[in-house]
Amino acid sequence: MAEIVYPPVVGAALTVFRALDLKIRIEGAENIPRTGGAVLVSNHISYLDFIFAGLAARPAGRLVRFMAKKEVFDHRISGPLMRGMHHIPVDRAAGAAAFGAALKALRDGEVVGVFAEATISRSFTVKEIKNGAVRMAVGAKVPMIPVSLWGTQRLWTKGRPRNLLQRHVPITILVGEPMHPKRGDDYDAVTADLHGRMGEMLDRAQRGYPEIPQGVWWQPRHLGGTAPTPEEAAKLDAAEAAERATRHGA
């Protein structure tokens, strides 16, 4: 497909990152295949994660087609960009269409990006994930590659003001070894394995991060930060979902 929008967007983002002197470290990029389909499954801690997770595939010369909620495509500014980069809209009321579009992209040899937690993790740990990524990889007969991001939450995350012009922020991008789920596997067991790998990689990224201050909002509670615990974050998510349902039902 014609790539008129995606390369200039990536180039612009990299120019900004260089100007801000972001300290981006990518480890494991060799695990991204240079050809053929693959499902890239990332944790989700920032509104900017699709940019940084996409950078994981850049050394392999790949552009990632991310699955993102339909509302992003409806926005007057982000919508044309998302469509121009051939990302995949997800209507939560009709998810089958997005799943079908993702399968087609994978079978056409694309790398499809998935945030399996669905929404941003306020606790900065890996939330519960569903088996959609596994089912996609099996359906398209492609590998599934876990990715863990850390540091992106400092720029822009849920419940915090944007701080996009911060300078010298370290960003860690870890790419795990490919997983090869196949038809007949226990999809829930494979999903649990994926969750475990992502959690281990995120913990490694956090503990190996250049800055591990105590008492800061962007650090998880178990490492001395003030972020909500997973249990507190789940309650906040449930309250937000209930409020959204009430608003849409009004």
Side-chain angles (χ1 to χ4, degrees), residues 105-123:
L106 291 166
R107 288 166 177 160
D108 287 345
E110 299 285 353
V111 178
V112 171
V114 177
F115 295 108
E117 299 163 280
T119 56
I120 287 174
S121 170
R122 303 173 194 257
S123 67

Side-chain angles (χ1 to χ4, degrees), residues 145-166:
I145 302 166
V147 172
S148 286
L149 306 173
W150 187 241
T152 61
Q153 78 282 10
R154 297 176 64 180
L155 302 175
W156 189 14
T157 193
K158 182 175 287 189
R160 303 291 306 187
R162 280 174 287 189
N163 198 348
L164 300 177
L165 298 181
Q166 281 189 88

Side-chain angles (χ1 to χ4, degrees), residues 17 38 173 213:
F17 296 160
I173 305 168

Side-chain angles (χ1 to χ4, degrees), residues 55-74:
L55 290 182
R58 190 166 177 267
R62 308 300 302 274
L63 297 174
V64 183
R65 316 300 173 182
F66 283 96
M67 302 185 75
K69 62 183 181 181
K70 176 179 174 291
E71 289 81 357
V72 179
F73 291 79
D74 293 337

Side-chain angles (χ1 to χ4, degrees), residues 170-203:
I171 304 291
T172 302
I173 305 168
L174 301 185
V175 185
E177 293 184 1
M179 301 173 65
H180 299 276
K182 59 185 182 302
R183 201 168 301 282
D185 286 349
D186 181 333
Y187 293 175
D188 290 339
V190 177
T191 301
D193 184 16
L194 172 64
H195 184 277
R197 295 188 191 203
M198 291 172 66
E200 183 278 327
M201 289 165 55
L202 178 58
D203 186 69

Side-chain angles (χ1 to χ4, degrees), residues 83-95:
R83 287 188 290 274
M85 290 186 280
H86 308 292
H87 293 314
I88 301 168
V90 178
D91 184 345
R92 289 173 183 165

